[in-house]
């Protein structure tokens, strides 16, 4: 069944993500933070801590702690918003970019396998409940 295969592939992807991010000296949460920052950067946008609450599914205080840890680790830097000095924008440092890109590239085949499972799932819905 496609739903079971999808779930198995999601678990495999999560496990591989943990292994690969650890090799690049990242936690899965820090990797996700860097991924969001890199995606935002690619779109020409800047992110602030408040805009990370929903995608990370964390409270404001948890996101703040995550960003503080990534900043201390030299992965993320903060820039004061010139229009609102109370607000800070986040950006990857060179080290953050290097570690993120290494993990992202290494996860490529696993991402493709998960995408394949997702496309199969879309073509094969679950049978109706009885």
């Amino acid at each position: 069944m496609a739903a079971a295969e999808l779930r198995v592939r999601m678990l495999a992807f999560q496990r591989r993500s943990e292994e690969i991010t650890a090799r690049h000296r990242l936690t899965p949460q820090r990797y996700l933070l860097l991924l969001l920052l890199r995606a935002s950067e690619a779109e020409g946008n800047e992110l602030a801590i408040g805009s990370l609450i929903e995608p990370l599914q964390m409270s404001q205080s948890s996101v703040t702690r995550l960003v503080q840890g990534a900043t201390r680790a030299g992965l993320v830097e903060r820039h004061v918003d010139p229009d609102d000095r109370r607000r800070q924008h986040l950006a990857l440092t060179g080290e953050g970019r290097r570690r993120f890109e290494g993990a992202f590239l290494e996860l490529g085949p696993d991402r493709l396998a998960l995408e394949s499972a997702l496309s199969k799932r879309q073509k094969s819905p679950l049978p109706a409940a009885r």
Side-chain angles (χ1 to χ4, degrees), residues 68-100:
Q68 286 172 340
T71 301
R72 281 192 304 274
L75 305 173
V76 172
E77 56 191 8
R78 299 173 185 224
H79 302 282
V80 175
D81 184 332
D83 298 326
D84 182 353
R85 300 199 51 78
R86 296 169 296 175
R87 188 174 163 100
Q88 294 182 347
H89 295 287
L90 306 172
L92 294 173
T93 63
E95 178 67 10
R97 182 178 314 282
R98 186 185 66 73
R99 286 201 224 168
F100 165 75

Side-chain angles (χ1 to χ4, degrees), residues 112-124:
L112 290 174
L114 183 57
E115 288 173 8
S116 173
L118 283 169
S119 67
K120 283 182 189 176
R121 174 67 188 105
Q122 290 172 357
K123 295 174 188 171
S124 173

Side-chain angles (χ1 to χ4, degrees), residues 42-57:
E43 294 171 353
N45 298 323
E46 293 183 304
L47 288 180
I49 289 176
S51 60
L52 292 167
I53 293 169
E54 186 177 331
L56 290 172
Q57 297 292 297

